[in-house]
Amino acid sequence: MKTALFWFVLATGLWFTLSFARADEPVMAAPTHSQISSTNVSTVAVPVPGEKAVRRYHATVAVGVAAIIWSFLSPALFLFTGWSARIRSWAERQRQNWYFTFVLYGLAFGLLYFFVNLPLNFYASFVFPHNFDLTNQTFSRWLGNTLKSAAVMMVVGLAVGWIPFLVIKKSPRHWWLYLGLLVPLFMTIQLFIQPVLIDPVFHQFRPLSDKTLEAKILAQAARAGIEGSHVYEANLSLDTKLDNAYVTGLLGTRRIVFWDTTLKDLNDDELLFILGHEMGHYVLHHVIKLIAFASLLAFLSLYVAYRLAGPVIGRFKNRWGFDTPSDFAALPLFILAFQLLLFVDLPAYMAFSRHIEHEADRFGLELTHNNHAAATAFVKLVQKSVYVYQPAPIIQFWYGSHPTAAERIEFCNQYRPWESGQPSKYQQYFK
């Protein structure tokens, strides 16, 4: 165990060092918004990040490494101290039925786990953004959202968290198969209810207040073959100064959401490209493809977990206080296994994510033919986030869900098949 920990810390340190060494360094300050608008209409240069952006990048890597290490150590703490087994034994002594024992264990474990992770969560989600002037969020609002998030997690956990234990108990040899088949169902249900039941707990969503922009959006949606589009704005300015837009939901709950900060910071042409990008996700069925790919990775990871569970529990059963994965006390082992397998799976998932994000960029360009607005949108988004345009390769490989901003800007500059009479890849979708 000590040897494994040594190699993990060494590898993490190497990753940390490489991240700092390979980040793009500042030579001059990034251009202002007025300088962007005066750029040649054909191309937009990739700005050199300012000193504050590089500092934020380095700090983000440091916080990220700390979060990764802590995500492994915190569940291990519950295992090797015997806390999890003691909580399970306390719940069993109440002499209630199987599910009620799970509820008592889940409530006690969830509360302790929340407080164990609270200091890092407080720094990463409140102190850190304030250090770089990325938020106006008050402490009371941060605390309220944190407690709401914990409550949602607890409700979901008590509603479905017992299922893996029951499946493992009923089918000790094939539980990985049955749970693997349940993963896409769970992800689909979550995606369906997220926009209507979970997201409104944290923010207000309303139709666009700018009716001129809304008319342009509806016209663009009609061109993309999307009838009855639902586009909302959300009051994220209460929690962040950053910009974003995203597609969420499934079937009748599917919608495109703009943060109100984005509507304020980008002009109409830039917003229409962002919308075209999100429409690309919708038209090209990227959400379904992501669910399918994530489900495949989960299926393979569950089989690996099944193969390792017996030997690992057998090795530490006396110290951990349980000898089967169907024991409620194994919950922190599930969390630890999930974190480890997620870490291993991330490069594959992120590579697939980068692919579909690139195709959504292509769709947005083919829909709007406004390469300049697309490129300036990316410049403004990075400037607002105070970040770099080209993270270190290892960071991009492991955690880059999108192509780098530099890559996206250059793609916007270069991709113009319609100007040379070449066919567009997605022209069959346009009306």
Side-chain angles (χ1 to χ4, degrees), residues 282-354:
Y282 185 100
V283 172
L284 302 176
H285 307 294
H286 285 166
V287 172
I288 301 300
K289 293 176 182 178
L290 271 177
I291 289 177
F293 191 77
S295 297
L296 176 61
L297 289 178
F299 191 86
L300 296 174
S301 297
L302 283 166
Y303 180 72
V304 172
Y306 161 73
R307 299 293 297 180
L308 294 178
V312 171
I313 293 176
R315 169 68 175 81
F316 295 103
K317 62 182 180 181
N318 292 331
R319 188 165 185 180
W320 291 350
F322 58 88
D323 57 9
T324 173
S326 63
D327 193 312
F328 295 145
L331 179 57
L333 180 60
F334 291 173
I335 297 174
L336 179 59
F338 173 81
Q339 298 291 356
L340 288 169
L341 293 170
L342 176 65
F343 186 77
V344 173
D345 288 343
L346 266 180
Y349 180 82
M350 291 302 177
F352 186 75
S353 176
R354 287 193 296 272

Side-chain angles (χ1 to χ4, degrees), residues 91 98 102 118 122 128 146 149 174 193 201 210 219 257 278 286 301 321 330 403 427:
W98 182 85
F102 168 76
L118 187 59
F122 173 68
F128 183 86
T146 299
S149 179
H174 299 102
I193 68 173
V201 172
D210 186 337
V257 178
E278 299 303 332
H286 285 166
S301 297
Q427 62 185 14

Side-chain angles (χ1 to χ4, degrees), residues 94-319:
Q94 308 311 307
R95 297 182 180 179
Q96 300 294 333
N97 61 34
W98 182 85
Y99 177 72
F100 190 75
T101 300
F102 168 76
V103 169
L104 290 178
Y105 171 87
L107 288 172
F109 174 83
L111 186 62
L112 285 175
Y113 198 73
F114 171 80
F115 282 110
V116 164
N117 289 281
L118 187 59
L120 181 59
N121 181 26
F122 173 68
Y123 180 82
S125 61
F126 184 78
V127 176
F128 183 86
H130 278 279
N131 285 345
F132 289 93
D133 193 28
L134 301 176
T135 179
N136 290 318
Q137 189 181 53
T138 63
F139 174 76
S140 61
R141 179 159 177 85
W142 172 85
L143 181 60
N145 282 348
T146 299
L147 293 176
K148 287 178 184 178
S149 179
V152 169
M153 290 293 294
M154 184 64 74
V155 170
V156 173
L158 296 180
V160 301
W162 55 272
I163 295 176
F165 293 103
L166 182 62
V167 172
I168 294 172
K169 182 178 181 180
K170 296 295 185 180
S171 182
R173 298 187 62 180
H174 299 102
W175 57 263
W176 60 275
L177 175 62
Y178 300 134
L179 290 180
L181 295 174
L182 287 174
V183 167
L185 176 62
F186 175 77
M187 294 178 68
T188 300
I189 294 173
Q190 179 188 14
L191 186 62
F192 182 79
I193 68 173
Q194 181 88 25
V196 293
L197 293 182
I198 299 178
D199 290 344
V201 172
F202 301 93
H203 300 102
Q204 294 179 357
F205 295 82
R206 63 182 183 184
L208 290 180
S209 55
D210 186 337
K211 297 306 177 183
T212 302
L213 175 61
E214 184 179 46
K216 294 179 181 179
I217 287 174
L218 292 177
Q220 181 165 295
R223 281 197 61 231
I226 304 175
E227 303 298 336
S229 302
H230 300 288
V231 183
Y232 294 85
E233 60 180 275
N235 64 333
L236 265 293
S237 56
L238 293 174
D239 297 311
T240 183
K241 294 182 179 180
L242 303 181
D243 297 325
N244 197 16
Y246 61 91
V247 60
T248 185
L250 197 65
L251 301 175
T253 68
R254 181 171 285 176
R255 61 188 61 184
I256 295 171
V257 178
F258 283 107
W259 291 4
D260 56 351
T261 52
T262 309
L263 294 171
K264 177 183 176 182
D265 294 333
L266 302 187
N267 63 42
D268 283 5
D269 286 342
E270 292 162 343
L271 289 170
L272 288 173
F273 165 74
I274 297 296
L275 181 72
H277 171 100
E278 299 303 332
M279 287 178 175
H281 286 314
Y282 185 100
V283 172
L284 302 176
H285 307 294
H286 285 166
V287 172
I288 301 300
K289 293 176 182 178
L290 271 177
I291 289 177
F293 191 77
S295 297
L296 176 61
L297 289 178
F299 191 86
L300 296 174
S301 297
L302 283 166
Y303 180 72
V304 172
Y306 161 73
R307 299 293 297 180
L308 294 178
V312 171
I313 293 176
R315 169 68 175 81
F316 295 103
K317 62 182 180 181
N318 292 331
R319 188 165 185 180

